[in-house]
Amino acid sequence: MTARLTAPTPAAGRTAALTRRLREAVGVERVLTDPAQLRTYECDGLTNFRVTPGVVVLAESRQHVIDTVRLCAEAGVPFVARGSGTGLSGGALPVSEGVLLVLSRLRAIGPVDPDNARVVVEPGVINLWVTRDASPHNLAYAPDPSSQQVCTIGGNVAENAGGAHCLKYGFTVNHVVGAEVVLPDGSVVNLGGTAPEHPGYDLLGTFIGSEGTLGVATSLTLRLVRAPEAVQTMLVGFRSVEDAAGTVGDIIAAGILPAAIEMMDALAIEAAEAAVHCGYPAGAVAVLVIELDGPEVEVDAQFAQVEQIALARSAFETRIAQSDAERALMWKGRKSAFAAVGRISPAYFVQDGVIPRTQLPQVLTEIGRMAAAVGLRVANVFHAGDGNLHPLVLYDDAVDGQAHDAEELASEILELCVSLGGSITGEHGVGAEKRMKMAVQFTSDDLDTMQRVRCAFDPDGVANPGKIFPTPRLCGERPGPRTGEHPLQAAGLGEVF
Amino acid sequence: MTARLTAPTPAAGRTAALTRRLREAVGVERVLTDPAQLRTYECDGLTNFRVTPGVVVLAESRQHVIDTVRLCAEAGVPFVARGSGTGLSGGALPVSEGVLLVLSRLRAIGPVDPDNARVVVEPGVINLWVTRDASPHNLAYAPDPSSQQVCTIGGNVAENAGGAHCLKYGFTVNHVVGAEVVLPDGSVVNLGGTAPEHPGYDLLGTFIGSEGTLGVATSLTLRLVRAPEAVQTMLVGFRSVEDAAGTVGDIIAAGILPAAIEMMDALAIEAAEAAVHCGYPAGAVAVLVIELDGPEVEVDAQFAQVEQIALARSAFETRIAQSDAERALMWKGRKSAFAAVGRISPAYFVQDGVIPRTQLPQVLTEIGRMAAAVGLRVANVFHAGDGNLHPLVLYDDAVDGQAHDAEELASEILELCVSLGGSITGEHGVGAEKRMKMAVQFTSDDLDTMQRVRCAFDPDGVANPGKIFPTPRLCGERPGPRTGEHPLQAAGLGEVF
């Protein structure tokens, strides 16, 4: 599978010449070519895709990034930027013989500007550090991916990271107001800025979530939110997934916007209970973890309403955390679920799809039916409030053909999401993994439009090639008839980038 | 000035041939060429820029839009789309001998989907109609430009319209989740969609606010917000603008996010009082209109806090509206201010700039100093919460040179905004009016990047040419050295689009 999905290899001689120039520009000690060192960087969190890069650059300054990108552009050698490598869709998968540009040493975090609720950071800053620095001012950085203790802001921006609390607070795109970006030709531009509105095109929104294909951010201006006066967490047990899903819809329909509504089904609960003894309601077929935040009077009043809604949907247990320890345990069950599933199954695929929230009950029923049909188990853990599913498809790689069946099932679940008006990814990105799925969601004209924008930023296709786009395109070619197959496909041309 | 700022004229013969094809495609009765009829469309709300179009098409269906755009592309004749023409920056200024595509007859408004809080509308739907249709479901469409009784959603999308309540609710870009767009070559693409997150590039964000230069929307999916349980409005009088501005900052710093904080200075108050007898506090040098919405308990608690903050800044009167009629009168003073200024001055320029909120007192002091230096009066009316100023520069066109001085002053105020970290426009757009100012805010590399995206969508420059961009560019040319002057400028080439 890897070969089919990766970008073409530049000539090794070209990379060797580039390596010499990189050493001159950024210093010998920051340029790695030892095969054992290179293998450290051969994958991100999607470990079943692996490619060894030609050379790794450990940038320690903005100028190192500019120099590296410029030299790659001049040499025509592709580059892939990465932070901590926690991504789950292979967005930081290297290109063979290409440059891997590591940004994790760019860790400067500016002073918090409490009056404007802003802070400027370098891309290698760890997500959680921002809230750590902001909290003395009673401020916080809202996006909270599960990997927030290790993932970088640069990676969050590349993938437009979400998290449990993006139901109320939005995704990374809602919390980054400005970026300094090195374009694929080495020039430096500023997108967005500190003012609330900017004239001209909103290219910052396009850059965020472009998975490293439009350039490399060297500085990001983040919006901070006021830390809420009160936070309360409730655990609710149900005897059916339909009731749990219905409760989610009823809460939103009542005009209540929780900070988070997380849902787990029976198999996910079983796994979490076995792993971390989180004390979820015994016999629950589904649980919701509901968190409200805001002014204390509002949180109290709304929780009474949420409890009534859940009881009307036959919840058999509702429990409000009485201490920080109890609250932490409720979250521990949810946050450990992925790893916990690894204890009850030899292997599993994490899927990431989105559906309109109102379709939750139907989707769960259908996933159950599809799984039963091929004799596999699926544990469902998800951000229910915004319809972002994470089905975990369990399989045993010792059983012949089961990995293949599991992959097929995971793929069919995505197509189900799209057919219900949803999306092939909620927060993990397209990366190398899902680019062949883009044609399920988008028409050829839709993809051509994105492709033309990519060419506007990166006409030579050197920035993170082999990601996002399902079919190769040459920049500069204007598609003739904008329907059906692209001329390059018809001509059977292979990978361009 | 008009000549310098408009796009080149296509050959009249080409337009005549196109007119025949347009009549065949959309029907004779929908294609206007009578000079008297054409003059109706020669400007939008920026009436000092006027250009008569070559032909006007009154589209009545999605297919009419597609056919018109496709025929323009084939003929190489530029087109400008418009709705009600309430824009204030000349974004809908026609191109001489070009096509003006009027969308105001595309007024279908889909059934409100209360479960997902969405509604699909055509571009000619009037802003206020959306809330009218949503209100039986206890929902509302949040963006509320002052022209909301007449302006269209299509125009709101083109300009990324704001309004008094965008402090809390955000701009149009935060409330449009999907668009069907006819690209400048006549192909049709879908941007965004109903799912909360989409893979690939977020081109919807780029399209919104692109002022008609990237294509024409034929359908828009709008996000609706829950109508708040309670809305309360407070009027506060101050003896200095510094105190009023300081109060704005203190409210936000206290973690309170009002739905709106509007500010007016003495001259604006005087004008509004004379025009609509709004009963603002006598002797006030500045007033704030503060609106809070949300759960009733929260609104009550926060208003007590707001009052304390204002009193600590020497407010001499705080008044909470006790009835809908009193609330309406508070808003009437604010909303009539532009027109009211027309009663105390023969003429005025409306300016639109943005500054970081924390700079409010400095900006007001500086505007006062600049106005005094040239002997002009400036009335300030603005969305203070997000730093969006609307200085009204008063002048008498019967006095020789005063219009010029006023225009200069309005221009200098924008440069002041940029120098303080703000922007040349908050919500009125760049259009034809401010394109020469873009270079004040953006570097040549920044503008090149936008330009390359424009070329990705519209390589032939037929969609609303002569707007946004300060300097001509040829698509297909790749700028050589990405610093300093563009080769085309150096070569003295004139307008391309």
Side-chain angles (χ1 to χ4, degrees), chain A residues 41-80:
Chain A
Y41 299 97
E42 67 185 5
C43 69
D44 59 15
L46 184 77
T47 54
N48 54 333
F49 287 63
R50 289 174 192 270
V51 173
T52 307
V55 52
V56 170
V57 176
L58 305 173
E60 287 187 40
S61 72
R62 170 181 178 277
Q63 194 58 47
H64 291 160
V65 177
I66 297 169
D67 289 343
T68 301
V69 171
R70 184 177 45 78
L71 290 171
C72 285
E74 285 171 15
V77 171
F79 63 86
V80 177

Side-chain angles (χ1 to χ4, degrees), chain B residues 162-434:
Chain B
H165 293 79
C166 62
L167 169 62
K168 178 168 181 175
Y169 291 100
F171 290 79
T172 298
V173 70
N174 303 114
H175 298 274
V176 177
V177 300
E180 181 189 75
V181 174
V182 182
L183 296 186
D185 67 356
S187 59
V188 179
V189 297
N190 283 284
L191 307 180
T194 47
E197 258 311 289
H198 274 271
Y201 300 152
D202 172 19
L203 300 181
L204 181 61
T206 299
F207 180 77
I208 297 170
S210 63
E211 309 196 16
T213 62
L214 301 180
V216 183
T218 45
S219 162
L220 298 151
T221 304
L222 308 182
R223 183 168 81 87
L224 301 170
V225 299
R226 180 79 24 192
E229 186 192 355
V231 179
Q232 280 195 19
T233 310
M234 182 190 273
L235 184 68
V236 190
F238 295 89
R239 303 230 185 266
S240 84
V241 288
E242 289 75 14
D243 283 336
T247 298
V248 174
D250 290 351
I251 290 170
I252 305 285
I256 297 167
L257 184 59
I261 309 183
E262 300 288 304
M263 183 166 162
M264 294 165 68
D265 71 2
L267 189 53
I269 296 167
E270 176 196 326
E273 202 61 63
V276 301
H277 312 293
C278 45
Y280 281 7
V285 173
V287 296
L288 294 179
V289 177
I290 303 169
E291 189 156 284
L292 291 181
D293 67 12
E296 193 151 1
V297 284
E298 180 185 329
V299 169
D300 288 346
Q302 290 192 337
F303 249 138
Q305 241 184 305
V306 167
E307 190 166 20
Q308 287 313 309
I309 290 169
L311 293 172
R313 285 276 186 179
S314 309
F316 71 90
E317 182 172 338
T318 62
R319 190 194 305 168
I320 294 183
Q322 299 301 318
S323 65
D324 284 351
E326 192 177 353
R327 181 175 164 240
L329 195 61
M330 287 178 183
W331 275 111
K332 193 172 182 185
R334 165 62 185 87
K335 291 201 173 179
S336 66
F338 284 18
V341 164
R343 295 165 53 109
I344 63 164
S345 175
Y348 63 94
F349 284 116
V350 178
Q351 192 49 285
D352 171 47
V354 180
I355 48 153
R357 191 173 47 230
T358 46
Q359 305 283 350
L360 267 183
Q362 297 88 312
V363 166
L364 290 175
T365 306
E366 186 60 18
I367 289 176
R369 200 196 54 72
M370 288 158 65
V374 290
L376 289 173
R377 293 187 300 166
V378 176
N380 288 290
V381 175
F382 46 99
H383 309 311
D386 45 12
N388 185 187
L389 314 178
H390 290 315
L392 307 170
V393 181
L394 282 54
Y395 66 97
D396 183 348
D397 31 18
V399 176
D400 208 37
Q402 208 172 73
H404 175 263
D405 288 351
E407 200 183 343
E408 284 282 298
L409 176 57
S411 168
E412 283 163 15
I413 289 173
L414 279 195
E415 286 167 27
L416 171 68
C417 291
V418 173
S419 73
L420 292 168
S423 158
I424 60 167
T425 170
E427 53 186 16
H428 295 175
V430 178
E433 182 194 20
K434 291 186 178 173

